[in-house]
Amino acid sequence: MKKGVIVLAIILIVALLMQTGCTAKSALPGKAPDRDTDSKSDTQSTENETVEEDHKQPSQSVEEELEKIVESKWKKTCSCGKSPSGKDVECSYAIPRINLKSADVDAINNDITQLFASVVHDCTETQEDYIPAYYSVDYECSIVGDILSVCIVAIPSDSDNAVYRIYTVSLQSGHIAGPAQVINESGMRYEDYLTEVKYALGSEFWNTQKKLFETDPSQDFDQFYQSSVQCLQKVDNDLQKTISPENLEEAIPYFDENGDLTIYGRYYVDAAAGFDYVCVNLETYERSPYYSEKVKLPEALMKIELTWDQESDGVMNYI
């Protein structure tokens, strides 16, 4: 009788392991089968495609595991916040904690606590003139293969730019997972990854330039064209810094809540800090139609026509 129970237990354990394994992302994609292979190869190709898609739809067991590993240690909503103009602001906070035992994870949790815990503690409904450091803090997380990704997004009270903190951890070792580990888990070759990062950040650069040319009232475009050589050189310098190997390698890869490979990277622009940060999903972004790796300006931007509006006392209009 005991022997039968043991055999049954072993069968159940094996079945459970097989079920869990189907939810993990597959290893590096294999070479696609030749078109003249037999029907068995076609079936295998379809199965590979299905497995590749499966990692985008986490199974219930993976979701349950994720909920256990990452929890909202502090979660609070209050209406105590004041905007700089004095209006009431509803503040919402969800601060994560990673439940893994390792020195690296302890350091991550301490970092999160130091950055955001005081904001939650100060959020009370009795402080009338209180202006919080952040109006909101939230996070997303995912498990892809061996990699746990946690991305915290905070909206500061004194800026329109969100603040991001990104952590990637190896579930097996408990150590911080470096860019190479994350990229390897995605199945992308490092050289291809850098190329996609260049296109992604370069596209952000050119899309921003397009917006500046069309809508920014602080830009003196008449003076821009009168001193076009110097200004175009400045634009080109920002572009070259954006797509430089050093800048591409400094981008932080992680998996977003849908399991897509995403980067947090920097592109250079004529702003107060000289650059902006952006998160770009490498699997869904579209390359900018204005993309170029050298300035002079792309033709699409040069077609912006300038007219002089006499009724607005010398204000330039852009059409």
Side-chain angles (χ1 to χ4, degrees):
M1 183 66 180
K2 291 184 177 179
K3 182 178 180 180
V5 172
I6 293 174
V7 171
L8 178 59
I10 292 174
I11 292 174
L12 291 174
I13 291 172
V14 171
L16 180 59
L17 290 175
M18 290 176 65
Q19 180 182 4
T20 304
C22 291
T23 66
K25 186 174 180 180
S26 59
L28 296 180
K31 180 181 178 182
D34 297 332
R35 293 187 181 275
D36 59 351
T37 53
D38 57 19
S39 59
K40 181 178 180 180
S41 297
D42 293 337
T43 303
Q44 185 65 41
S45 176
T46 302
E47 290 175 353
N48 288 341
E49 291 174 1
T50 302
V51 171
E52 184 66 19
E53 288 298 322
D54 281 348
H55 90 277
K56 302 297 180 67
Q57 304 294 334
S59 70
Q60 184 176 358
S61 61
V62 173
E63 291 180 346
E64 291 174 352
E65 181 184 10
L66 187 58
E67 290 178 0
K68 293 177 181 178
I69 294 176
V70 183
E71 65 172 341
S72 293
K73 184 178 180 181
W74 299 286
K75 195 168 185 177
K76 192 170 186 179
T77 300
C78 58
S79 58
C80 65
K82 295 285 186 179
S83 70
S85 62
K87 295 182 178 180
D88 291 334
V89 176
E90 183 172 274
C91 301
S92 177
Y93 305 109
I95 316 297
R97 176 181 176 82
I98 303 175
N99 294 321
L100 293 174
K101 294 183 179 180
S102 75
D104 283 356
V105 171
D106 288 345
I108 290 173
N109 286 330
N110 288 336
D111 185 50
I112 294 173
T113 299
Q114 292 178 9
L115 286 170
F116 302 115
S118 62
V119 179
V120 180
H121 293 157
D122 293 341
C123 180
T124 65
E125 298 183 8
T126 59
Q127 295 175 303
E128 296 182 356
D129 298 328
Y130 171 65
I131 299 179
Y134 300 101
Y135 288 140
S136 72
V137 181
D138 204 351
Y139 68 92
E140 64 175 12
C141 54
S142 66
I143 294 176
V144 175
D146 180 49
I147 304 300
L148 167 69
S149 299
V150 179
C151 175
I152 302 175
V153 184
I155 307 301
S157 58
D158 58 354
S159 173
D160 295 330
N161 297 322
V163 175
Y164 293 84
R165 299 292 291 186
I166 296 166
Y167 307 95
T168 51
V169 177
S170 166
L171 294 176
Q172 184 175 4
S173 68
H175 296 319
I176 291 174
Q181 289 176 268
V182 177
I183 297 164
N184 182 66
E185 194 68 64
S186 75
M188 186 179 291
R189 294 192 314 125
Y190 187 68
E191 295 78 6
D192 296 336
Y193 162 79
L194 289 180
T195 298
E196 291 300 327
V197 174
K198 178 177 68 173
Y199 291 152
L201 294 181
S203 294
E204 288 293 329
F205 171 88
W206 279 117
N207 289 339
T208 301
Q209 291 297 324
K210 176 71 159 55
K211 292 177 183 177
L212 289 175
F213 269 70
E214 287 185 326
T215 62
D216 190 347
S218 68
Q219 295 282 351
D220 186 343
F221 287 100
D222 187 35
Q223 183 179 1
F224 178 93
Y225 281 101
Q226 290 178 13
S227 58
S228 59
V229 174
Q230 294 87 345
C231 291
L232 289 178
Q233 184 61 55
K234 171 63 170 62
V235 175
D236 189 58
N237 287 342
D238 287 344
L239 171 62
Q240 298 311 317
K241 287 188 290 186
T242 296
I243 62 175
S244 68
E246 296 79 11
N247 191 54
L248 303 182
E249 291 173 355
E250 289 179 5
I252 302 174
Y254 68 100
F255 295 104
D256 70 7
E257 61 184 352
N258 297 316
D260 290 344
L261 182 62
T262 303
I263 61 161
Y264 175 65
R266 174 177 56 206
Y267 66 97
Y268 288 82
V269 65
D270 189 15
F275 54 83
D276 278 335
Y277 285 95
V278 65
C279 287
V280 183
N281 184 321
L282 294 185
E283 301 186 35
T284 62
Y285 85 96
E286 295 183 2
R287 195 186 308 185
S288 172
Y290 318 109
Y291 184 87
S292 174
E293 295 183 12
K294 185 65 180 177
V295 173
K296 75 177 191 179
L297 290 176
E299 183 179 353
L301 292 185
M302 293 299 290
K303 287 183 178 179
I304 297 176
E305 299 179 22
L306 306 181
T307 60
W308 189 261
D309 185 353
Q310 299 292 345
E311 296 181 359
S312 59
D313 193 23
V315 175
M316 298 298 289
N317 290 335
Y318 307 96
I319 59 176

